[in-house]
Amino acid sequence: MIPPALTGDAPRVLIVDDETGILDSLRILLKNEGFIPFTAHGGRAGVERLPELRPDIVLTDVRMPDVSGVQVLSTARQVDPDVPVILMTAQATLQSAMQAVNEGAFYYIQKPFRNDELLAILRRAAEHRKLRAENTTLKQEIKRRERTTSGRPIGRSKSWLDVLRLAETVAPTDSTVLITGESGTGKEVIARYIHELSTRADHSFLSINCGALPESLLESELFGHVKGSFTGAVKDKTGLFTAANQGTFFLDEIGETTASIQVKLLRVLQQREVIPVGATEAVSVDTRVLAATNRDLEEEIKRGSFRPDLFYRLNVIAVHLPPLRQRQDDIPLLAESFLARSASLRHEGVKMLRDDTLDALMAYAWPGNVRELENALERAVILSTGSVIDPDALPERVTARRAEPLVSERTPVSPTLEAIERAYIQWVLQNEGGNKSRAADMLGIDPSTLYRKLARYGEA
């Protein structure tokens, strides 16, 4: 088990040398002095251990067969630009010392050296590493606070603010997040917000819609493939998990994946490695996974179409987005934002909503949620010749007179008990976004009882 990154007084040191005696003596010395030593016999072994170990300090000999200490230094700086690398050599020259400094070496020490001399250099390197880590953390926190205030997704309703607070809490962690909600509620917006507030914000945010591709193509896009692995594979392809290394990968519509893809996704989450199509060796990845679905995955598990072990791996942190009909206070804010964005793209003045136009927006149920609202306003802007948007510019479905619902302020004359029960169940289901498990909890009945009632109403 690899220890965590430098957090206190026990820095991890990777010692690279081609002499076993030196490795053993340095390992014992460093361990006795409070360091956590790891050894690699030869430069090639050192280079191979760097990505896996990610040490706090590298101590390497310069002259080694196959892979030199300067090459170890170069690789270490690629893996972690802040890692201090100390070079050891028995044949020091001014030219070699200058080359080491130019390559980014922290120190250059000549063999033989005194133990106290080496330990003093290692302690300075550890302090240097700690200061760099603290500086990086401070900069990331400043950026995170700036993004929190400037790039916060629009909304002021309590349900939406609860979502944002949860997203802001989990963003700095590396935990997997499962974002649920109806289509159009803004799942990718929240995923990007989490990424922007995370420690991975300076790296890639990549996304894919798992329901938009056939299985064979999705597998290649996710994990990559090697040349000749199938017809048309004319060259190696890097998968999105690898391309998003050190960044964030957003898997939208995860509930649409097949059983075969689910098995491979589970391996990535458990082992942190992928096997490209046609390859025999795994590739390590350091990618944070965010996933989203508009399906009830617990229902899919009961039907046998989604793996429970994958669900538990994905559902470390659950973020449920409320439908727009449950956050009506946000409609004016969203409309204002969409109209301003449209004006900017069209290089014209911002169009305003007439009061009765806004009333129509507020009264509509928005089954397509925020995405439907944005599309409706885009249409209205195009169809409005003046600076004010009339209700006639909205889609007919938004302004059409709707039949009175079963649950309303005016109760029908002498409704039957079954009609009242059915209307109430429909209302709770609608408020819970169609999620039957949550609806059953709200109703205070078992899910099986709810299914029977819905079947009796012909709505199962």
Side-chain angles (χ1 to χ4, degrees):
M1 186 73 176
I2 301 302
L6 179 63
T7 55
D9 299 325
R12 295 166 295 136
V13 183
L14 176 61
I15 310 166
V16 186
D17 205 301
D18 59 336
E19 295 186 32
T20 304
I22 292 177
L23 289 176
D24 290 340
S25 60
L26 288 176
R27 179 178 54 79
I28 294 169
L29 172 67
L30 268 59
K31 185 176 182 181
N32 291 339
E33 293 296 327
F35 294 89
I36 303 175
F38 297 85
T39 60
H41 190 268
R44 188 176 302 281
V47 166
E48 291 173 352
R49 292 214 68 181
L50 281 167
E52 166 206 5
L53 180 60
R54 300 183 72 86
D56 300 309
I57 304 170
V58 176
L59 177 62
T60 178
D61 191 19
V62 173
R63 290 184 174 272
M64 294 179 289
D66 296 333
V67 177
S68 70
V70 174
Q71 290 173 286
V72 174
L73 164 64
S74 178
T75 303
R77 301 281 292 175
Q78 290 174 16
V79 171
D80 182 356
D82 292 333
V83 64
V85 180
I86 301 166
L87 298 179
M88 306 177 291
T89 182
Q91 300 175 339
T93 64
L94 179 60
Q95 182 179 1
S96 60
M98 289 179 63
Q99 181 187 6
V101 171
N102 289 336
E103 290 284 343
F106 178 78
Y107 207 89
Y108 191 79
I109 187 170
Q110 185 173 359
K111 295 178 181 179
F113 44 75
R114 301 190 314 273
N115 287 349
D116 59 348
E117 180 185 6
L118 176 63
L119 290 171
I121 295 169
L122 286 167
R123 291 190 181 105
R124 287 204 300 272
E127 184 64 23
H128 171 82
R129 169 70 168 178
K130 185 176 180 181
L131 289 173
R132 292 295 293 267
E134 289 175 350
N135 187 40
T136 299
T137 301
L138 180 60
K139 287 181 178 179
Q140 289 173 343
E141 180 61 20
I142 292 172
K143 285 183 180 179
R144 192 179 76 84
R145 291 183 181 181
E146 289 175 348
R147 289 167 179 146
T148 301
T149 55
S150 64
R152 214 177 197 212
I154 296 168
R156 64 186 177 195
S157 62
K158 181 183 181 303
S159 59
W160 186 247
L161 292 178
D162 288 343
V163 166
L164 296 184
R165 280 191 286 269
L166 179 56
E168 289 158 7
T169 300
V170 304
T173 73
D174 266 346
S175 296
T176 304
V177 179
L178 179 62
I179 306 169
T180 59
E182 297 177 13
S183 293
T185 49
K187 295 187 284 294
E188 184 164 351
V189 170
I190 291 298
R192 287 184 180 275
Y193 186 55
I194 290 172
H195 171 72
E196 288 299 318
L197 298 184
S198 74
T199 57
R200 299 172 178 264
D202 293 331
H203 298 280
S204 299
F205 175 91
L206 300 181
S207 65
I208 191 170
N209 187 322
C210 298
L213 299 173
E215 180 180 350
S216 58
L217 184 55
L218 177 62
E219 182 179 14
S220 175
E221 288 294 316
L222 291 174
F223 312 114
H225 64 249
V226 297
K227 179 180 178 181
S229 56
F230 55 85
T231 303
V234 295
K235 62 179 180 179
D236 290 355
K237 175 183 173 61
T238 300
L240 291 175
F241 271 108
T242 305
N245 200 44
Q246 298 185 46
T248 304
F249 189 24
F250 176 54
L251 296 165
D252 199 6
E253 302 303 343
I254 189 74
E256 305 291 335
T257 52
T258 63
S260 174
I261 295 293
Q262 289 173 29
V263 170
K264 295 181 180 181
L265 288 174
L266 182 63
R267 178 187 178 89
V268 177
L269 294 173
Q270 288 179 330
Q271 307 297 331
R272 295 294 171 184
E273 61 183 25
V274 299
I275 301 179
V277 178
T280 56
E281 295 185 3
V283 178
S284 297
V285 292
D286 174 22
T287 305
R288 184 183 191 177
V289 175
L290 307 178
T293 181
N294 58 12
R295 293 192 177 192
D296 184 342
L297 293 187
E298 293 183 73
E299 289 295 317
E300 298 299 320
I301 290 171
K302 291 176 182 177
R303 295 190 184 100
S305 58
F306 201 84
R307 294 181 62 95
D309 46 5
L310 177 58
F311 171 73
Y312 298 133
R313 282 285 179 178
L314 291 170
N315 199 38
V316 177
I317 303 291
V319 178
H320 180 71
L321 306 193
L324 188 55
R325 60 183 173 274
Q326 291 181 10
R327 43 182 293 221
Q328 284 187 318
D329 290 349
D330 295 338
I331 291 176
L333 293 176
L334 290 166
E336 182 181 350
S337 173
F338 293 148
L339 291 174
R341 184 191 306 168
S342 176
S344 176
L345 293 173
R346 295 165 65 87
H347 305 290
E348 60 184 26
V350 179
K351 296 190 177 184
M352 308 299 292
L353 296 174
R354 221 169 71 180
D355 288 347
D356 51 351
T357 307
L358 180 58
D359 290 343
L361 296 181
M362 296 291 286
Y364 184 57
W366 300 109
N369 295 293
V370 179
R371 186 184 297 123
E372 185 184 7
L373 172 63
E374 183 177 13
N375 292 341
L377 288 172
E378 181 180 353
R379 175 187 189 275
V381 167
I382 294 171
L383 296 182
S384 299
T385 55
S387 61
V388 177
I389 298 176
D390 297 333
D392 292 343
L394 296 174
E396 186 178 352
R397 66 181 180 277
V398 177
T399 56
R401 186 178 182 86
R402 290 168 296 282
E404 186 168 323
L406 285 169
V407 176
S408 67
E409 294 181 359
R410 185 171 69 256
T411 307
V413 178
S414 302
T416 65
L417 183 60
E418 182 177 346
I420 294 174
E421 179 187 61
R422 178 180 180 182
Y424 182 57
I425 288 174
Q426 288 174 331
W427 181 72
V428 171
L429 265 174
Q430 185 181 50
N431 280 337
E432 295 302 323
N435 188 308
K436 296 182 179 64
S437 297
R438 286 199 299 269
D441 289 339
M442 291 296 296
L443 292 164
I445 59 177
D446 293 331
S448 58
T449 302
L450 176 60
Y451 299 146
R452 285 197 300 271
K453 289 180 180 294
L454 292 174
R456 188 168 71 245
Y457 303 147
E459 300 176 9

